[in-house]
Amino acid sequence: MSVVVPAILPISREDLEEKLSRLSGLVSSVQIDSVDGHFASPASWPYTGGGAAELAEFADHGERLSHGGEFKLEIDLMTEDPARAAGTWLAAGASRLVVHADPARPLDAVFRNLEHVYGHDKDFSSGLLELGIGITPKTDLALIEPYLPHADFVQFMGIDTIGRQGQPFEPAVLQKIRMFRRRHPDMPVQVDGGVSKATAPALLSAGVSRLIVGSDLWGAGDLARELRELEELAGQYGIYE
């Protein structure tokens, strides 16, 4: 599994397809941000321009996104109803999901539903469906403790407001990651938001095993070079693909 994972916040199906095409041959995993405009905003595809119908059509016909079969697709479900949204994405080829913790939305029912319909209760092989919990720098770690037995990884957001790329990195997340790693040394940790060559060393030193990179990557003049340099940084900390 890649240490550096490009994040795509698609404005349309065409935008998503174009970015997947640019990543072809460069990485093995991609994260797609799915923002419904309610749980987080602004809305991204497929919650804009008839995208929901487009994605459902993919799922109904067992199709895949162009180049989608080349990657392990991870969907960051920034939605009010992640269990419902998950079904369509999984049918379209995703195998890794991030569900965000929120004090107003207990995750017990969400995880039970996902496990019953798509996961362990269906006797799926280990790793076929991986579930992660997303938290912001302000989230109390106590909120996610009851759900960790259901999770395969935890995603720390490196920014305060989810659903938007290009925000400044929030250094407070580093202390939270270190605290979590002390309590749960075997739980894989990834960070999304504010990740760049400037912030990656501190994140890797804190024990992060996957770097989800969005605006820093897409704003680079040379995409392949930026990916290579980020992977080389990970190698310096003993973290390899």
Side-chain angles (χ1 to χ4, degrees):
M1 185 179 294
S2 299
V3 175
V4 179
V5 180
I8 302 175
L9 181 63
I11 60 174
S12 66
R13 173 181 166 185
E14 291 74 22
D15 178 51
L16 175 57
E17 301 276 14
E18 187 270 337
K19 286 184 168 64
L20 288 173
S21 178
R22 289 180 63 187
L23 294 169
S24 180
L26 298 178
V27 296
S28 58
S29 297
V30 174
Q31 184 184 90
I32 300 172
D33 293 332
S34 185
V35 188
D36 68 0
H38 300 287
F39 185 78
S41 63
S44 67
W45 187 88
Y47 295 96
T48 57
E54 289 180 320
L55 188 61
E57 186 175 348
F58 270 80
D60 291 342
H61 293 86
E63 297 179 20
R64 295 291 185 269
L65 297 164
S66 298
H67 299 284
E70 298 179 28
F71 310 106
K72 188 178 184 71
L73 293 179
E74 174 177 305
I75 311 302
D76 193 345
L77 296 169
M78 289 174 269
T79 65
E80 289 186 333
D81 191 349
R84 180 179 180 182
T88 308
W89 279 112
L90 290 169
S95 60
R96 193 173 160 97
L97 306 173
V98 179
V99 179
H100 286 261
D102 187 299
R105 182 184 64 184
L107 293 181
D108 303 74
V110 176
F111 279 114
R112 282 200 303 270
N113 179 281
L114 291 172
E115 290 172 350
H116 176 67
V117 178
Y118 307 105
H120 306 302
D121 289 353
K122 291 293 182 181
D123 296 323
F124 281 9
S125 61
S126 176
L128 186 58
L129 172 62
E130 296 175 277
L131 301 175
I133 304 173
I135 62 173
T136 72
K138 296 178 181 178
T139 304
D140 189 336
L141 290 177
L143 178 66
I144 67 170
E145 289 287 344
Y147 311 123
L148 292 178
H150 299 277
D152 297 293
F153 62 96
V154 172
Q155 174 173 293
F156 286 82
M157 302 303 295
I159 53 179
D160 282 327
T161 305
I162 67 172
R164 303 184 184 189
Q165 291 187 345
Q167 296 180 72
F169 179 71
E170 175 48 68
V173 74
L174 292 167
Q175 181 179 358
K176 185 154 291 189
I177 292 169
R178 294 188 188 100
M179 184 183 302
F180 181 83
R181 297 296 293 154
R182 287 195 295 270
R183 297 179 185 176
H184 305 281
D186 298 323
M187 176 64 75
V189 167
Q190 62 188 41
V191 172
D192 178 23
V195 180
S196 66
K197 286 186 292 187
T199 60
L203 290 168
L204 294 165
S205 294
V208 172
S209 52
R210 291 179 97 223
L211 302 171
I212 314 299
V213 190
S215 57
D216 181 74
L217 190 60
W218 299 113
D222 188 329
L223 182 68
R225 179 178 178 180
E226 193 75 3
L227 281 166
R228 184 173 62 253
E229 291 179 352
L230 282 163
E231 289 285 1
E232 288 172 353
L233 266 177
Q236 294 174 23
Y237 287 83
I239 303 172
Y240 302 91
E241 183 176 338

